[in-house]
Amino acid sequence: MARSEHRSGGTLPVTPPTLADVAERAGVSRQTVSNAVNNPDLLRPDTLERVRQTIAELGYSPNRAARNLRTRTSSLIGLRFAPAQEGTANAAMDRFVHSLVEASEEVGYHVLLFPGDDEDPIGGYDNLLRSTAVDAFVVTDTYLGNPQAAWLSQQRAPFVAFGRPWDDDGARHVWVDVDGAAGIALATQHLIDRGHTRIAWIGWRKDSPIGEDRRSGWVRTMHANGLSTTGLASRVEDVVHSGAEAAAVLLDESAPTAFVCASDTLAMGVLHTLWIRQLAPGKDIAVVGFDDSQVAQVYPVGLTSVRQPLEDVAVEIVRTLRALLSHQPVETRGVLLEPTLAIRDSS
Amino acid sequence: MARSEHRSGGTLPVTPPTLADVAERAGVSRQTVSNAVNNPDLLRPDTLERVRQTIAELGYSPNRAARNLRTRTSSLIGLRFAPAQEGTANAAMDRFVHSLVEASEEVGYHVLLFPGDDEDPIGGYDNLLRSTAVDAFVVTDTYLGNPQAAWLSQQRAPFVAFGRPWDDDGARHVWVDVDGAAGIALATQHLIDRGHTRIAWIGWRKDSPIGEDRRSGWVRTMHANGLSTTGLASRVEDVVHSGAEAAAVLLDESAPTAFVCASDTLAMGVLHTLWIRQLAPGKDIAVVGFDDSQVAQVYPVGLTSVRQPLEDVAVEIVRTLRALLSHQPVETRGVLLEPTLAIRDSS
DNA sequence: CACCTTGATTGGATCGATCTAGGGCGATCG
DNA sequence: CGATCGCCCTAGATCGATCCAATCAAGGTG
């Protein structure tokens, strides 16, 4: 069975070299080459060296499809990719995806993106699962009572969620999340340390568990420092002008000297109100946002913001996925990571 | 050869049904089932119906790995994913990736992300190519004289670039790009229509071909309207404070009434200077940015910005990729798309 | 009626890797 | 000294789909 000749180090041959090519050239069997790649310990050192050299000469790399077929794995992690919403400052996805790609690469996995369809939220998952196109999923939107986590659990599909199963106590899946309350507590304490006592909260509507969680960090820290929260909180939609309006009302009614916000979007609204009223952020009134978005970073004054450790989240998720996929017992059902505070001139 | 029974519509079976399972149950050969999936026209209508029903009953979906192995394709498009740089407003990647994922899905492709390594820019490409893990690539960073495009061309690897081969006239690859000059021309004309005559340009350093291209749109439009550009241009680094400094200098020396910037990042710098000088954006001085980033959208005043038609870019790229992969002759080597202007209160 | 064409379907071979069982060989042991 | 063990390696079978060549039935032609 003569194969086309392979040029070494030049352009890619029309058909890349196969395991059999390497085996023939190195004078060993196919299985030995396979072992050289996957179980080097099984080979005698000199054989290993010889095979490795041949692999290098031919520029051989195992054919993914063949390997996937035989091992019933794909080394792919599926991720439904939703873009940042227009008109908001929410930019977590971008950084998270990058972190996930990096962390996956470290352990030999790649990230496969697929689009989301709000009308058929599990369609994309189902297709990939049925065709065994991916080994596992990372689910990022567990908060809205989405059926994905439950559905995947039911299918026995391996997945890790970024986000706690807020509304489902019975959820049995594994998750990684960032402690938003701790982040807001950090921000609140930071403001208190700067001498503020009347610190207002502008958060999301009450039906958002994430929003309520973050809010609790503010309440907790205020009370722990003997400060009152009455009349200092507002719950609105996550859009700029809502933040602006809320800030205006709070300034009029309660005269706070600082604002802690559930998002950078809301913080931008606060900054807008300050600008209108000729109040200097950071000097007259302090403002803190959440997510350390690009907006927070490039806003002229610099917006202090709670920064999620997305790199660590990604690493933790990949670590957990590996454990799941190798059928090791996963010790903890959930992991909660601590955010940090990116301090800028607005506080 | 008895197989485990498959429950219909319940949890996924331990091993999903195969083509052979469907064939046996429908009382036809494997090839007929394959044809029902891939070449329905070959089947007699009643046979097709019967096979389709069986496929539905079993919840059969072709195994990707097997198909990939046999057809030597993967239906995957590789994309090197670099996150937005911290401290800039550049957010094109996020939206572009989403558009690409959507456009790919439409034609049965998925997007595979892999990390970039500045020290070994072709490493990721090489691995995926050798292991035939992807069918093609989308290359997004052609501008920096990166060796990727040339290397991929040499390897005969199918790819489409998002971005013109600025510095390589001999480049023979296919590309899709957005006409930045036209976008800036649009912005400039918009300002002229508003009555501005002294319109300043703040762009990137001269060694950026993209920056020079965008600048040419400003020059062209100014001259076409009989307006002078002398003393009204500045070239700086793409960071906020450089934009702020440039704006300050220009205001002092040339008293422009409007600024057109090569990026939203620079525009934010301009807005900062205006804020310091108590000048109202949109009233006293007009400002236009580039990229329609989240920053432009949530900045309190609302930053007018040139918006790249990334959805169209993605569609065009996928269309071109399909042509490449089906070995159809690609009629045009490059496609240039027109941006639009997102008009907000800053102008 | 023999011969050819067309349409619908089939069975074996194949893609390139890994799994499984087993073979060769030298070292160790009773 | 033969049996046994472990190490290193090999050959055939296999994963699940598609390619290819061949078969069969039905219809048209001379």
Side-chain angles (χ1 to χ4, degrees):
Chain A
M1 190 195 299
R3 286 186 54 86
S4 59
E5 296 210 345
H6 302 300
R7 284 161 283 178
S8 67
T11 55
L12 205 67
V14 183
T15 71
T18 71
L19 197 85
D21 296 328
V22 177
E24 191 185 359
R25 177 144 171 178
V28 294
S29 71
R30 300 190 319 272
Q31 186 57 41
T32 299
V33 179
S34 176
N35 284 336
V37 174
N38 301 305
N39 301 84
D41 297 346
L42 294 180
L43 300 202
R44 220 168 40 205
D46 59 329
T47 312
L48 179 58
E49 178 52 34
R50 185 156 43 98
V51 174
R52 281 197 166 146
Q53 183 147 355
T54 310
I55 288 177
E57 283 172 18
L58 294 182
Y60 166 76
S61 186
N63 180 300
R64 289 258 181 188
R67 170 179 280 180
N68 294 351
L69 174 59
R70 186 66 247 229
T71 62
R72 297 166 169 285
T73 61
S74 64
S75 298
L76 291 180
I77 296 173
L79 175 69
R80 193 182 123 165
F81 189 79
Q85 245 185 313
E86 303 266 322
T88 73
N90 195 331
M93 197 67 173
D94 189 74
R95 236 178 83 218
F96 173 63
V97 171
H98 180 74
S99 302
L100 187 64
V101 170
E102 290 265 3
S104 304
E105 158 87 2
E106 296 274 319
V107 297
Y109 280 86
H110 285 287
V111 174
L112 175 79
L113 298 185
F114 61 100
D117 182 346
D118 284 339
E119 294 181 16
D120 178 17
I122 63 169
Y125 291 95
D126 197 19
N127 277 336
L128 293 171
L129 202 52
R130 289 199 126 78
S131 55
T132 55
V134 301
D135 290 346
F137 291 99
V138 172
V139 178
T140 57
D141 36 13
T142 51
Y143 42 86
L144 283 172
N146 284 1
Q148 292 141 11
W151 185 84
L152 287 170
S153 291
Q154 195 202 337
Q155 306 287 316
R156 311 263 174 88
F159 76 101
V160 174
F162 176 14
R164 280 161 276 185
W166 294 101
D167 41 8
D168 183 4
D169 296 334
R172 289 280 162 149
H173 64 260
V174 185
W175 54 266
V176 177
D177 204 356
V178 174
D179 192 344
I184 292 297
L186 211 58
T188 309
Q189 190 63 53
H190 161 71
L191 292 169
I192 293 172
D193 292 345
R194 294 277 163 125
H196 294 277
T197 56
R198 299 194 59 75
I199 303 170
W201 167 256
I202 300 182
W204 298 329
R205 294 190 320 183
K206 207 160 189 168
D207 55 4
S208 161
I210 298 183
E212 290 305 288
D213 178 56
R214 292 184 185 174
R215 186 177 186 281
S216 74
W218 167 71
V219 173
R220 178 212 307 168
T221 310
M222 293 294 276
H223 291 169
N225 286 269
L227 300 173
S228 165
T229 58
T230 48
L232 285 169
S234 185
R235 290 189 179 92
V236 297
E237 291 282 327
D238 190 36
V239 293
V240 178
H241 79 89
S242 296
E245 287 169 16
V249 171
L250 284 166
L251 282 171
D252 290 339
E253 298 183 352
S254 310
T257 62
F259 288 89
V260 182
C261 304
S263 73
D264 282 351
T265 308
L266 293 175
M268 287 307 286
V270 175
L271 290 172
H272 185 42
T273 295
L274 297 188
W275 179 75
I276 289 175
R277 302 196 174 194
Q278 305 266 29
L279 293 167
K283 284 183 66 180
D284 302 327
I285 304 276
V287 184
V288 180
F290 197 108
D291 249 4
D292 197 26
S293 62
Q294 292 187 307
V295 178
Q297 296 174 20
V298 304
Y299 188 80
V301 186
L303 172 64
T304 297
S305 192
V306 176
R307 184 179 171 95
Q308 302 198 49
L310 299 180
E311 297 78 7
D312 301 337
V313 171
V315 168
E316 192 60 39
I317 284 179
V318 171
R319 223 170 55 79
T320 311
L321 271 182
R322 291 236 299 169
L324 274 181
L325 290 174
S326 57
H327 299 288
Q328 289 169 15
V330 178
E331 61 282 3
T332 48
R333 192 152 296 288
V335 174
L336 210 50
L337 299 176
E338 298 292 312
T340 56
L341 193 63
I343 299 175
R344 302 202 176 81
D345 290 344
S346 73
S347 70
Chain B
M1 191 195 296
R3 287 185 54 87
S4 58
E5 296 211 344
H6 304 299
R7 285 161 281 178
S8 67
T11 56
L12 206 69
V14 183
T15 70
T18 71
L19 196 88
D21 295 330
V22 177
E24 191 185 358
R25 178 144 168 177
V28 296
S29 71
R30 301 189 321 272
Q31 186 59 44
T32 299
V33 179
S34 177
N35 285 337
V37 175
N38 301 305
N39 300 84
D41 297 345
L42 295 180
L43 299 203
R44 220 170 40 202
D46 61 327
T47 312
L48 178 59
E49 179 52 34
R50 186 156 42 98
V51 174
R52 281 198 167 146
Q53 183 147 354
T54 311
I55 288 177
E57 282 171 21
L58 294 182
Y60 166 76
S61 187
N63 180 300
R64 288 259 181 185
R67 171 179 279 179
N68 295 352
L69 174 58
R70 187 64 248 232
T71 62
R72 297 166 170 283
T73 60
S74 64
S75 297
L76 290 180
I77 295 173
L79 175 68
R80 192 181 124 166
F81 189 79
Q85 244 184 315
E86 303 264 323
T88 72
N90 195 330
M93 197 67 172
D94 189 73
R95 236 177 84 219
F96 173 63
V97 171
H98 180 73
S99 302
L100 188 64
V101 169
E102 290 267 1
S104 304
E105 158 85 4
E106 297 275 320
V107 297
Y109 281 85
H110 284 287
V111 173
L112 175 80
L113 298 184
F114 62 98
D117 183 344
D118 285 339
E119 295 180 14
D120 179 16
I122 64 168
Y125 292 95
D126 197 20
N127 277 335
L128 292 172
L129 201 54
R130 290 200 125 78
S131 55
T132 55
V134 301
D135 290 346
F137 291 98
V138 171
V139 178
T140 58
D141 36 13
T142 51
Y143 43 85
L144 284 171
N146 284 2
Q148 293 142 11
W151 185 85
L152 286 170
S153 289
Q154 195 202 338
Q155 306 287 316
R156 312 263 173 88
F159 75 102
V160 174
F162 176 14
R164 278 160 277 185
W166 293 102
D167 42 8
D168 183 4
D169 295 334
R172 289 280 162 148
H173 64 261
V174 185
W175 53 266
V176 176
D177 204 355
V178 174
D179 192 343
I184 291 298
L186 211 58
T188 308
Q189 189 63 52
H190 161 71
L191 292 170
I192 293 172
D193 292 345
R194 294 277 163 125
H196 294 276
T197 55
R198 299 195 57 76
I199 302 170
W201 166 257
I202 301 183
W204 297 329
R205 293 190 320 185
K206 208 159 190 168
D207 54 6
S208 160
I210 297 183
E212 289 306 288
D213 178 55
R214 293 185 185 174
R215 186 177 187 281
S216 73
W218 167 71
V219 174
R220 179 212 306 169
T221 309
M222 291 294 277
H223 291 170
N225 286 269
L227 299 174
S228 165
T229 57
T230 47
L232 285 170
S234 184
R235 290 192 180 91
V236 298
E237 291 281 328
D238 189 35
V239 293
V240 178
H241 78 88
S242 297
E245 287 170 16
V249 171
L250 284 166
L251 282 171
D252 290 340
E253 298 184 352
S254 311
T257 62
F259 288 89
V260 181
C261 305
S263 73
D264 282 351
T265 308
L266 292 175
M268 286 308 286
V270 175
L271 291 172
H272 186 42
T273 295
L274 298 188
W275 179 75
I276 289 176
R277 301 196 173 193
Q278 304 266 29
L279 294 167
K283 285 183 63 180
D284 302 327
I285 304 276
V287 185
V288 180
F290 198 108
D291 249 3
D292 197 26
S293 62
Q294 292 188 307
V295 177
Q297 296 174 20
V298 303
Y299 188 81
V301 186
L303 172 64
T304 296
S305 191
V306 176
R307 183 179 172 94
Q308 303 198 47
L310 299 180
E311 297 79 7
D312 302 337
V313 171
V315 168
E316 192 59 40
I317 285 179
V318 170
R319 222 172 55 79
T320 310
L321 271 182
R322 290 234 301 169
L324 274 181
L325 290 174
S326 58
H327 299 288
Q328 288 168 16
V330 177
E331 61 283 3
T332 47
R333 193 152 296 286
V335 174
L336 209 50
L337 299 176
E338 298 294 310
T340 56
L341 193 62
I343 299 176
R344 301 203 177 81
D345 291 344
S346 74
S347 69

